[in-house]
Amino acid sequence: MHRILLIEDDLSLIDGLEFSLRKNGFEVDVARTIKEALSQLVAQKYDLLLLDLTLPDGSGFEICRKARQTSHVPIIFLTASDEEVNVVMGLDMGGDDYITKPFKLNELISRINALLRRAGISNALHTGLKSNEITVRLDENRVLKDGLEIELTVVEYRLLCLLMQNPNNVLTRAVILDKLWDGSGSFVDDNTLSVYVRRLRSKIEDDPENPMYLLTARGVGYKWKVVK
């Protein structure tokens, strides 16, 4: 059974979320402040964080930063604002997804299940991917560049695997969104995908502004170009 840490200070929302998550088979712990959340992250291992951005003692971004120093646990931001600057900031610091309040509980459950599937998708795989300077060890969920490990979030890892499994083929944005979100791509906009592509390039390309491997097919999508 997956254990989720819900970090939220709205009591009415906590009650509804906790009930729905438990009904769908999750174990749930609740933290209402940054201090409580950081304490629980030290004491307990979680499979996913549901993280409100506005908390009584500060911003949920602080929790994300702290978590990413030691963990790759999937993180979904709960935000009352869909302003692009907040979305981009959250994804850039290592968040995996976000959902804007008010939201439908079934949509949230779908996103949680999709993210957990992606987080564990390599457990049944025992092969690797290798091209250019990049090696993906699927059985270990590890990515190496010139033999040195690269730290990727769950979605960055999934995006890289998808592209490398289709070398030199243009994948449309619609196909990528659908694959990354397990058929639920309708929840995600193009701006979110652009953020992930930019973030992945910053980690795998020698010159992210002039990429050699992860190329844009303008107006269509992206492709992984094999050059060596």
Side-chain angles (χ1 to χ4, degrees):
M1 183 180 293
H2 292 295
R3 181 181 290 273
I4 293 175
L5 178 59
L6 170 62
I7 307 161
E8 171 64 63
D9 66 320
D10 185 331
L11 289 176
S12 61
L13 186 56
I14 289 173
D15 289 342
L17 282 174
E18 193 171 7
F19 175 81
S20 181
L21 290 168
R22 293 187 187 281
K23 182 179 178 182
N24 281 274
F26 298 107
E27 293 184 6
V28 185
D29 291 337
V30 177
R32 296 178 58 192
T33 65
I34 293 173
K35 184 178 180 180
E36 288 179 11
L38 295 179
S39 176
Q40 287 178 249
L41 285 172
V42 171
Q44 175 68 50
K45 177 178 174 59
Y46 292 97
D47 299 297
L48 185 139
L49 307 185
L50 279 178
L51 175 55
D52 187 19
L53 289 183
T54 305
L55 296 166
D57 52 345
S59 169
F61 288 141
E62 182 178 343
I63 299 171
C64 182
R65 290 192 192 95
K66 292 285 188 180
R68 280 292 171 260
Q69 291 175 4
T70 58
S71 171
H72 298 295
V73 60
I75 297 174
I76 297 178
F77 289 111
L78 304 177
T79 173
S81 171
D82 61 355
E83 292 182 2
E84 184 176 354
V85 63
N86 287 332
V87 172
V88 171
M89 184 183 301
L91 297 178
D92 273 346
M93 69 176 52
D96 296 288
D97 201 358
Y98 71 94
I99 188 166
T100 304
K101 301 175 184 177
F103 51 80
K104 295 179 180 179
L105 286 173
N106 62 343
E107 178 182 344
L108 176 62
I109 297 300
S110 292
R111 292 207 188 189
I112 289 171
N113 285 327
L115 193 53
L116 289 171
R117 282 195 297 271
R118 293 200 303 277
I121 198 167
S122 70
N123 291 343
L125 299 174
H126 302 283
T127 58
L129 300 169
K130 185 173 183 179
S131 60
N132 302 322
E133 305 167 333
I134 307 299
T135 299
V136 180
R137 296 180 179 173
L138 294 168
D139 57 337
E140 300 175 357
N141 265 6
R142 297 176 64 205
V143 178
L144 309 176
K145 179 179 179 181
D146 289 332
L148 300 177
E149 186 165 1
I150 303 172
E151 297 293 338
L152 300 182
T153 66
V154 172
V155 179
E156 291 167 357
Y157 175 81
R158 185 81 169 114
L159 174 59
L160 178 63
C161 290
L162 177 62
L163 291 166
M164 290 184 68
Q165 287 167 340
N166 295 273
N168 298 318
N169 293 324
V170 174
L171 299 181
T172 67
R173 297 176 72 90
V175 165
I176 293 172
L177 288 170
D178 190 64
K179 293 290 186 182
L180 288 184
W181 274 267
D182 293 337
S184 302
S186 58
F187 295 147
V188 187
D189 61 26
D190 279 355
N191 288 334
T192 303
L193 178 57
S194 297
V195 170
Y196 284 122
V197 169
R198 176 168 58 83
R199 223 168 59 182
L200 182 57
R201 279 177 174 152
S202 73
K203 298 179 179 181
I204 65 172
E205 298 278 0
D206 292 329
D207 181 2
E209 298 301 320
N210 297 283
M212 295 178 60
Y213 311 139
L214 205 175
L215 305 183
T216 300
R218 195 166 300 279
V220 181
Y222 301 95
K223 77 172 180 179
W224 180 259
K225 182 179 179 181
V226 178
V227 298
K228 59 182 175 180

